[in-house]
Structures are given as C-alpha cells and as structure tokens.
Amino acid sequence: MIPLLLIIVGGLCAVAYGIVTILDVMRRDAGTQRMQEIAAAIAEGAQAYLRRQYTTIGLVGVVLFVLLAVFLGIKVAVGFLIGAVLSGAAGFIGMNVSVRANVRTAQAASTSLGGGLDVAFKSGAVTGMLVAGLALLGVALYYLFLTRGAHLDPSSREVIDALVALGFGASLISIFARLGGGIFTKGADVGGDLVGKVEAGIPEDDPRNPATIADNVGDNVGDCAGMAADLFETYAVTVVATMVLAAIFFSGPTGSGRDVLEPMMLYPLAIGSACILTSIAGTYAVRLGANQSIMGALYKGLIAAGVLSIGAIAAVNMTLLGGFSTTFTTSTGVTFTSGGLFGCAVIGLAITALIVVITEYYTGTNFRPVKSIADASVTGHGTNVIQGLAISLESTALPAIVIVAGIISTYALAGLFGIAIAVTAMLALAGFIVALDAFGPVTDNAGGIAEMAGLPAEVRKSTDALDAVGNTTKAVTKGYAIGSAGLGALVLFAAYTSDLNYFIANASPTQYRFFQGVSVDFSLSNPYVVVGLLLGGLIPFLFAGIAMTAVGRAAGAVVEEVRRQFREKPGIMQGTDRPDYGRAVDMLTRAAIKEMIVPSLLPVLSPVVLFFVIQLIAGKSQAFATVGASLLGVILTGLYVAISMTSGGGAWDNAKKYIEDGHHGGKGSEAHKAAVTGDTVGDPYKDTAGPAVNPAIKITNIIALLLLAVLAHS
Amino acid sequence: MIPLLLIIVGGLCAVAYGIVTILDVMRRDAGTQRMQEIAAAIAEGAQAYLRRQYTTIGLVGVVLFVLLAVFLGIKVAVGFLIGAVLSGAAGFIGMNVSVRANVRTAQAASTSLGGGLDVAFKSGAVTGMLVAGLALLGVALYYLFLTRGAHLDPSSREVIDALVALGFGASLISIFARLGGGIFTKGADVGGDLVGKVEAGIPEDDPRNPATIADNVGDNVGDCAGMAADLFETYAVTVVATMVLAAIFFSGPTGSGRDVLEPMMLYPLAIGSACILTSIAGTYAVRLGANQSIMGALYKGLIAAGVLSIGAIAAVNMTLLGGFSTTFTTSTGVTFTSGGLFGCAVIGLAITALIVVITEYYTGTNFRPVKSIADASVTGHGTNVIQGLAISLESTALPAIVIVAGIISTYALAGLFGIAIAVTAMLALAGFIVALDAFGPVTDNAGGIAEMAGLPAEVRKSTDALDAVGNTTKAVTKGYAIGSAGLGALVLFAAYTSDLNYFIANASPTQYRFFQGVSVDFSLSNPYVVVGLLLGGLIPFLFAGIAMTAVGRAAGAVVEEVRRQFREKPGIMQGTDRPDYGRAVDMLTRAAIKEMIVPSLLPVLSPVVLFFVIQLIAGKSQAFATVGASLLGVILTGLYVAISMTSGGGAWDNAKKYIEDGHHGGKGSEAHKAAVTGDTVGDPYKDTAGPAVNPAIKITNIIALLLLAVLAHS
C-alpha cells in the first residue's frame, strides 16, 4: 500500500507544479492593449476549436462508453472515461495556458531573452507535467480503487481490461488531437498562405487575414494539445501494457509467483512517479547561460532530468525490488535480476538521449542533411524536394538501429519484461519532453503577436531566436514521440500475444469458450502471418496518404471562407473592418473533423474487420494469427513512415531557415523560393501525416487487445 | 525427357521470334541522313554505356564466379555464369535493337501512326521474348545438363544450388541495370535539363546540349535494359524457387513422393514455355483499330496473350499432370489437385490483369489521381508535390489487397506450392510485358529524333501520341515488375525457410554439421524476429534514400561536364562545333557506377552481416531467425516503397502531360511550372529509387539462400 501511495504523491507533485506554474505565468505582464487584443483573438479561436472538437469527442465518447459498458462491464467503461477525461483535461488546460503565455512571452522578451525563455518554457512545462502527472494518477488511482476499493485480484481480467480501456480512452483523445488537430493546423497554414500571400498579397501574420488567428491557434493545436494527447496515450498504454505483462508473468503457478506480483505491477508506476520529480527538478536547470544559448539552456534541463532519473530509478529499485541482485522468474521461465531491470530502465533513458541527438542531426541547421537540402535549393524547386525526400528516407536508419539495439540489449537483460521496462523509463521523461515541444507554439505565437502588434525590431529578434529553437525542439520531440510510440506499441503487441496465450491456455466450456481449440501459428512460414504483415503494413501508407489529401481539402475550405469574408466585408482589406476570426476557426475545425473520419476509422476498424473476414475464410486460429501479424506490420511500416515524415519535414523547414539566415542568396532569392516549396511540402509531412501515424499505430494494438477481451466475454 | 524437350522448343521459339523480328525491323527505312546521324549518335552513346557497364560487371562477375567456385563448387559457379551471361545478352541485344528501331519508328510514323506503332512495338517485343526465352532456356538447359548430363538427382543439393546460383547471376545484371542504369538515366535527365534548359536556355532534345544523347540513351538504359534485367531476374528466381520447393515437397519419404518429383519440377518451366507461345501469338493481335487507339491496340495484344495462356496452361496440365483431378500430397502433408494448381495459375494471370488496371488508374490522365495532382498544381509547386505524395502513398492500397487476395486464394487451393505456381504464371507473361515497356523508350527516342531532325509537325504529332502511350505502358509495367518481384521474393522466402528446415532435419556429424542443434523460432513473439523485420524493413527506405541522393550527385557531374564542353568548345552553342556526346555518356556511366557501390552493397551484405552479428550475440538459431525475418521485412516495406514511388512518379509525369494537353492554362502557365517540379521529383522516384528496390528485394533473398548453401558446405 505504501509504495502505491508514494506513487500517487509523485503524480500529485506534477499537478501541484502545474497549478503553481500557471499562477506564476498568469501573473506576468500581458503587454500593451494591442498585444492583448491579438492574444485575446487567439485565445478566443482556441476556445472555438476546443469547444467544437470536444463536443464531437464527447459524442463519440458517449457511444464508446455505452458500448464498452455493455460488452465489457461498467468498470471497463469507467476506465475508458478516466483515460479520456484526464487526457482531454491535460490538453485543454495546456492549450489555455499556451494561448495566454504567448503574449506574456512576447512582453517578457521585450525586456530580456532570458525572460522570454522563462515564460515560454514554464508554460510548456505546465502541459508536460500535467500529461505525466495525470496519466500516472489515472492509472495509479484506478488501480488503487480496483484492487483496494473493489477488492479485485491485481492480475484478474477485470483489472487488466479496465486498465487497457483507460489506455483506449487516451487513444480517443489522441487520434482527434493528432489527426483532426493536424489537419486543422496545416489546413490553416497552407490555406492561409495561399489566400493571403498568394492571392491577396499580404504578408504572413497579417491581422487582416481572417485565417491568421486560425494559423496561430493551429500551432498550439498541433504541438501543444496534439503532442500532449499523443504522449499521454503512449504513457498510459505503455504503463498499462507493462502492468499487464507483469500480471501475466507473475500470477501463474510457476515462476517467482504471486509474492512479487504487486511489486512488479507497481514498478512501472514507481519509475513514472520518480521521474516526474526529476523532470520537475530538470525544469529548474533550464537557465540561459553566459553564452545566451537557448538550446543549451533547454538541453541543460533535459540532461539534468535524465541524469537525476538514473538515481531516482535506483532508489525505486532499493525500495520496491530489494536492491539490484534479487532474482525473478516469470511464469514463462525467464529469469532475471532486479539489477537487470534497472539496466533496462537506464537503456530506455539512453534511447531517449540518442533519438534526441539523431533527430537534431537530421533537422538542425548545423549539419549535413539540412545543408544538403539548402544546397539543392539553388538548382530549383524539384531538386530541393528530391533532396528533402532523400533525407527523409535516410533519416529512418539511425533511429531504427538504436531501437533494435535497445530491443536486443534489454531482452538479453530481462526478456520481454525488460523491453517493457525500458520503454516505461523512456516515457517517464515525457513530462519534460512535452515541455520542450509545447514551448514551440508559445514562442511561435509570441513572434506572431510581436509582428502584428508592431513591437520594435529588437523584440522581434528575441522572439525569432526563441522561435528558431522552438522549431528544433518541435522536430526533436517528434522523433521521441514516434520512437516511443513504436516501442510502446511493441509492448502492446507483446501483451496481445501473451493475453492470447493466456486465454487459450485457460479456455474451457465455462470460461473463455471462444478460445477453445484455438491454436495460433505466429510463425513467418504461415501465409496468414504474411497476409497480416502486408495488410498491417499498408495502414500507415494509406492513412498518411489520406491525411495528406485531407490537408489539401481543408486548406481549400479555408481559402473559400477567407474569400467570402473579403467579398462580404470589403473593409477588412482597408483595415476598417475586423475579420471574423472565430468563424474561420470554427469552419476549419468542422472541416478537419469531417476530413478525419475516414482515416481514423482505418486503424480502428481494421483489426476487427480483418479478424472476422479471416475467421470466415480460414477459421479462428488463422484470424488471430493474421490480426497479430497485422499489429506488427503497422508498427513496422508506421515507424518508418512516421520517422521519415517528421524528420524530413523538420529538415525542409530548417533548410528554409538556413537560407533565410543569409545563405545561397537569402530571403527572396530563387533558392529561397525553392526552399519555401520544400517547407510547404514538409508541413503536412511533419505536422499532420507523420505525427498522426503515432496514434494509428497504438490504436490498432489497443483495439486488438479489446477485441480479445470482448471475445473472452462472449 | 519429352516434356523437357518440348519446354526447350518453347524457349527456342522465343529466340527465333527475336531473330526474325530483328531482321524485319532492321529492314525498315532509317529515314533522312540527319535522322541517321542523330540515331548513330544515340547508338554510339549506348555502346559507350554498355561497354563501360559490362566491363565493370565482368570484373565483379569474375570475382563472384571464383568465390562461388571455391565455396560451392564449379557447377554452382557455372550456373551463376549462365544466369549472368544470358540476362546480359538479353539486355545487350535489346538495347542495340532499341537504339536502331527509334529512327525507323520516326520514319515509319511519318507515313502512318500504325506503321510507327508496328516498328516500335516489334522492337520492344524482341527484348521481351529474349528475356522470357533466354531465362527459360537457361534454367531448362542447365537442368537438362545437370540431371541427364551429369546424372544428378533432380532434388539433390547440387542441382538446387546450381539453379539458385543461376538466379544470382541474373541478380548481378539486374542490380547494375536497375540501380546503375537508374542513376544514369535520371542523372542525364535532371542534369541535362539543369544545364541546358535552366542555364543555357536551350530547349529539351536540342542537339547542342552534350547531355542530350545521354538522355536519349538513358531512356533505353532504364526502360529497355533495366526492365529486361529486372524481369529476367524475377523470372529466373521465381522458376528456380518454385523448382526448389517442388524438390523439397516431393523428394521425401512421405507425400506423393518421387514419382511426381520431375513433373512437379518441370511444371513451372512448362507454364513458362507455353506462355511464350501465347505471348508471341499476342504480339500479332497488336493492331491499330479503326478508332486509332494505340493503347487499345496494345491491350488487345495483352488480353489475347492472357486468354490464350489459360488454354495453354490447361494443355500443360493435360500433358504433364494427367489433367485436373490428380491428387498430390507434399512431404509436409499438404494435399491438392492438379486442377487446384491450374486454378492458381489462372489466379496469377488475374493478378497481372488487376495490377495493370490499377496502375493505369493511378497513372492515367483520365482518372481522379492524376487529375487531382493537375488541379493541385494551380495553387503552386508545394501543393502539387503534396498531392503527388498523397497519391503515391495511396496507390499502394489496391495492389496490396490484390496480392493478399492472391496469396489467400492460392494458398487455399494448393498451399505454398500454389502460391509459387501463381507467381510463375504471372511471370510467364513477362515476354509480352517487357515488350510493352521497351516500346516506351523507342517512341520517346523517336520523338526526340523527329524534334532534332526538324521533321514536319504532323510527324511530331504521331510520335507524341506514341510517346504518351509509352509513358503509360512504362508506368503500368513498373507496377507489374514490383508486384511480381514482391511475390517472387515471397517464394524465395518460402524456399529459405523450407531449405533451412531441410538442413536442420538432415543435419548430422557427417553432413550439414553447421545445422546440428539449430532450432529456429520464426514466431512473431521472438524478439529477434521483430529485430529482423525492423532491420529488413529499413533496407528499402535507406536504399531508396541513398539512390535519390545519388541521382542528384550524378546530375551534378553532368552539369560540370556540359559546362566544361561549352567552355572549351564555344562553337557548340553556335552550332558550328559538335559536342562530344560519347564523353558525356562515358563520364556519366562512370559516375553512376561509382554512386551505386554503397546502395548496392546494402542488400548484398546485410543478410550476411546480420547473420554473423546476431550469431555472435545470440547464437546460430536466433541468427537464422533474424535473417529470415529480415527477408520478409525487406519484402514488406520494399513492396510499399517501390509501388508508391513508381505509381507516384508516373502520376506526376502524366499530370504534367495533362496540363500540357491544354488544361489549367496549358504549357507555360504557372500550373505547368508547378507540374514540371512534380515531374522532376517523380523522375528519380519512378526511374531510379522505385525500380531499383525490386532487385534489392530479390537479392537479399537470394543471398540468404546462398548463405544457407555455404553454411551447409562448411
């Protein structure tokens, strides 16, 4: 009981940090009246977006809640509700803080660069800590209720199903935030540019453009709410899947058995709790040094959080697992030590560090990849895009090798459970990582506000410097998000196979009847496994393709709305009439939600449809094999598609920045025009299709787990 | 013996058709002196390319020959030699016919459209029939020699290894032709455009541009020699892998046993032989109808060949398998009928038809995908590329579903062997398909010659019409090439697992010692299988990325060479001095060969390196599992990467054509400029990276099979 309470205290610390920091940020000076007006418009737009988005989520959520309650019982449905509400809350609060911190960042930057960094980073940290804290609290408190309040056995199916449903609740928010949000943000960006820059000939961030506010809202939608929901989901599903594996490995008659069941189930939660404290400590290490390097200040914080986490996890080992030399044996006969698990956690932290470094290499302006795209821009639009695509494809290699090395080494240390613990440790830093990402839109907005409010040039210089770093952190954290999503999904896949084996082994005429006589051949020489891999592998390609098209259509909707406003209110262009920002936001939100229906159904329905179609053709056993293989197929191609899109997009973005910094002729040159084309292509790559693949990967896996639960109930 | 001789007669018919048709084509009028001069320059360039390329291949080939002779014996080395020489011969002869048919097509087109079509298609058919005929003859004659001449048992390892090595010989040519050739053709295209159109301001196909001839040579390099080598390889490896499966399935003490061994091993050869005859018959059905539809004429031929093939395969069944109701049982306990095998063959033909239709939908100007890219061009370069990428991702879906349906249905009919037979039947039409593809560069060249020789506008109109159809057939056959390569590689993968099981089952202290105590877990729940899938899946991404970069560098080399010639011979631009076309071709060939070294080593070395690294870490058994899984990983992502690139590139190409046909403002409009950007991006997509993935997929699988053979020898 005491470890569980300590875990909960960790989660509460995150929430407390959030509240204190919100109050701190809100106390800052909000600048001139003009700045406040603009910020109010953005905040109003964010409200319009959130209202429309959450209303839709609410409707879908109610339907899913009822379905879960009917098929799997009320505890499962409540688990779903908890996951959805907490993830929604983290995104909602985060967005609202972001759209208030932006103007305060602009104002603080007018005094000092350090001041601007402080406000922007702190507001990002609010979102980050809420993500980690609420995800941890949700799982821990519901587990506390189920095992202590409802007196269920920790390894019982009811507990497992309820926790999996909590992850599914997070998935609901995640797919809306990533896919719907991604279509929204790039629809606003591309559409606004088309009708503003190209048609009307007014600059970016011009307040006369009715889509300008939507564009600023979109930044927060993507990199604050979107990233928050994505990592909340990965956090929740990874912790839950690790707990499920613990329940399966340590509840059987063989192995170390039930004595270690609860410590093992709590171990991932404890790592999460400990790393919340180190992440909070890390935020205090973010300070501008004498060299005025913003990126350096942020990395100082990340390194501090990472190094402290090693100590904190060691402390968890001492408290929960009796140090480092205790030996455990799973019910499947794998033996490892608590020291081995600690090693896995450290490897998880190392993977985080390596992925950050690799992604910065591929998207930073100081290195070969971005420079090569900038060089290729000199010879035109086509060569810019060719080189960008080449880099995007190439950028998959090193992260893949890091992930593979992580799998091999942690499996050697502690088997499947070791892999799960590594991913848990990787995600334990999610609080700090989201802080880095949510920092981006705040500085981006701050720059926009400084522009629109006509602040002096040196303020613009500070906000530009912050914005440039924001571009890098956004790219870097996207690499982390997809890497962790892929690994988290692998843990989910392990949970699927373990769950399936459990149901088959325990099937009888009285329980798990559906699984009687089922014998699944997961071997690669079973053609249905090949079929599953192929069909699963197709999903990220098709999903990403539809998402890219959706951005185009949403942008088209923006163009029409802006044209309509210009037509009906000629005063807008003369500056005598105010555009209806809210209407543009609301219209775009509706368009984005409409556009996300088809692609979001793809990962949701495919495991279910695949199961029943193959069951019809070849029977239950092959259906389970096909669905299982399809999960791995989604992970496999999803990882590569998402990494290539997010890194490639980031590289294009910074190649443009690199030219704007005065290389190859600078702004306005032919090379710059080519680089703008690359950046436009990279936008939906890195902000819509790529990131949206993350929830797609996780959702197929979660749905498959729920499908098993439903079949077990039937 | 008689069936084998009949098979050989089929192969000889293809060769005879080739000779007769070459004579027929060469008899045609070669046009004016100016035309002949230009054609001579192209032919000379082709010679320069072939000389340099084949010299390098020869050097690499000698090394490989010696290595194979040392490690696996002389019969294996000779098999390799046969595969390499025959595939090389098909490409060599095909190229030489193409670069002589181009001018004759231009001349014939000046009389009638039907005349131009006749010459161009016939010259393509030479390459096509040589591919199918020589591949079939190589396998059949060497099999005849090994079993009747050297009196080896048809199912012995020596026969199997020698035939696999024959496939490997074809692979050597294929990787050079596809990767080196792909870099060559797009280096010439992109580089020539950059320095000619952009820098010097002279039109495409201007004889003053020293890279013009290289560009025209490049068309033949890619779509004549490249496609020929690619499909020769797929043809050979598929037939061989199917024979290997037959040897394993029908040589054991259980099952139908040795009585059916030889018929089963000959069945794929007989299908190939029968379909050569139907393909030849199909070429006579290519006739321009009253509606003057060129595409219609070509499809008439394809449909005729396909329908006749059904009858021909039925005849093979009657002769070789005793009709349709004979029952067979494999040594692994799978039972099927000869009628089932016939069904599989028909499904293979149906897959061919469906992939042709789907690819035409995605790349034809009459359908949504291409039109959507053309529409997106109106709003700029960026939106054109975004929509093109969206279509390229989306285009993977239907072919994947067709392939999956094919796998499921043929597996249901006749197990693994059924899948192999379906792929064999699919490839049996390779002769006709290559004819369609090799038609493209001839018409493309004909257009160029008409332009450069200043032929009247109505001739240009005819050659343009032929050229437009050539674009479509090039795109369509690329879909077929990648679909069949993927399926062929699946058969190779089945051969790998079957081979491995065979070695493990028969391992003893006296033979296959290396495999003693090996027990391979190919289950998806083995993390090493996941590792293998991930690393294998990486190869096509990384390979394609490097290939794209290589095109950029080769184009840079062209730019420098052309600048040098302009600088040193100022007379070129005034038309008083002749550019040194041969030097440009030779320089580019060298650049292309240099650029292909790194990417080509990737698929060649990865199975070997992977095996020994994992053996070091986790032992032999896991090493076999990892390598096996990596083969499937390559197939999985390779299929999607290649389809998306070839279809996407074709769609971009035709979106430009669609605009040039007068839509969205036509040639010279802003939309057209954007479409040119898309086309430039699509070029290395569809002509370098995408097609080069085909041999990469097959080579990893072949290398893995050879690795097994080497280990079995040790």
Side-chain angles (χ1 to χ4, degrees), chain B residues 129-441:
Chain B
M129 292 313 153
L130 285 182
V131 165
L134 293 181
L136 182 73
L137 281 178
V139 178
L141 286 173
Y142 201 41
Y143 177 80
L144 180 72
F145 166 76
L146 292 168
T147 56
R148 308 303 199 275
H151 297 292
L152 293 168
D153 184 283
S155 71
S156 68
R157 295 312 310 176
E158 274 189 282
V159 172
I160 290 178
D161 291 349
L163 292 179
V164 169
L166 195 154
F168 182 52
S171 295
L172 173 70
I173 308 296
S174 175
I175 190 82
F176 268 90
R178 271 300 196 204
L179 184 55
I183 296 171
F184 178 95
T185 173
K186 290 303 118 173
D189 193 352
V190 174
D193 279 1
L194 282 179
V195 75
K197 281 198 226 171
V198 180
E199 283 188 20
I202 51 179
E204 207 176 327
D205 282 334
D206 188 303
R208 288 173 295 175
N209 189 339
T212 293
I213 296 299
D215 189 13
N216 278 287
V217 171
D219 293 334
N220 294 291
V221 164
D223 285 297
C224 177
M227 182 62 89
D230 187 0
L231 280 180
F232 187 105
E233 182 196 16
T234 308
Y235 195 111
V237 299
T238 301
V239 167
V240 166
T242 309
M243 291 173 79
V244 171
L245 285 180
I248 291 171
F249 286 158
F250 299 103
S251 65
T254 57
S256 299
R258 305 191 63 89
D259 285 354
V260 301
L261 174 63
E262 177 120 334
M264 280 304 181
M265 285 187 81
L266 293 185
Y267 190 57
L269 291 172
I271 291 177
S273 175
C275 292
I276 282 178
L277 302 179
T278 59
S279 294
I280 292 175
T283 63
Y284 292 101
V286 175
R287 259 170 224 286
L288 212 53
N291 62 358
Q292 295 282 303
S293 159
I294 306 166
M295 202 68 217
L298 295 173
Y299 275 156
K300 252 191 293 184
L302 181 59
I303 292 166
V307 172
L308 288 174
S309 294
I310 298 176
I313 297 173
V316 168
N317 258 55
M318 300 301 294
T319 326
L320 208 58
L321 302 184
F324 299 90
S325 50
T326 323
T327 303
F328 304 98
T329 306
T330 69
S331 57
T332 52
V334 178
T335 296
F336 53 81
T337 65
S338 51
L341 286 183
F342 174 73
C344 293
V346 173
I347 290 172
L349 297 174
I351 293 174
T352 302
L354 286 171
I355 286 189
V356 166
V357 170
I358 293 167
T359 316
E360 190 175 352
Y361 171 73
Y362 273 103
T363 58
T365 45
N366 301 328
F367 307 101
R368 174 191 60 88
V370 168
K371 283 186 187 161
S372 76
I373 298 175
D375 292 348
S377 309
V378 176
T379 43
H381 301 261
T383 41
N384 166 292
V385 177
I386 290 174
Q387 187 58 22
L389 287 172
I391 293 299
S392 110
L393 291 163
E394 186 198 306
S395 68
T396 55
L398 291 179
I401 289 167
V402 167
I403 286 171
V404 161
I407 292 173
I408 291 179
S409 56
T410 53
Y411 183 71
L413 280 172
L416 219 50
F417 196 63
I419 300 179
I421 290 300
V423 189
T424 301
M426 187 176 175
L427 280 158
L429 286 183
F432 198 93
I433 301 279
V434 173
L436 287 181
D437 191 66
F439 162 85

Side-chain angles (χ1 to χ4, degrees), chain A residues 390 411 522 524 527 534 549 636 640, chain B residues 411 522 524 527 534 549 636 640:
Chain A
Y411 183 71
F522 270 130
L524 296 181
L534 281 172
T549 308
L636 178 58
Y640 291 120
Chain B
Y411 183 71
F522 271 132
L524 296 181
L534 280 171
T549 308
L636 177 58
Y640 291 121

Side-chain angles (χ1 to χ4, degrees), chain A residues 71-82:
Chain A
F71 281 105
L72 292 169
I74 188 69
K75 289 195 195 71
V76 170
V78 170
F80 165 78
L81 186 68
I82 292 172

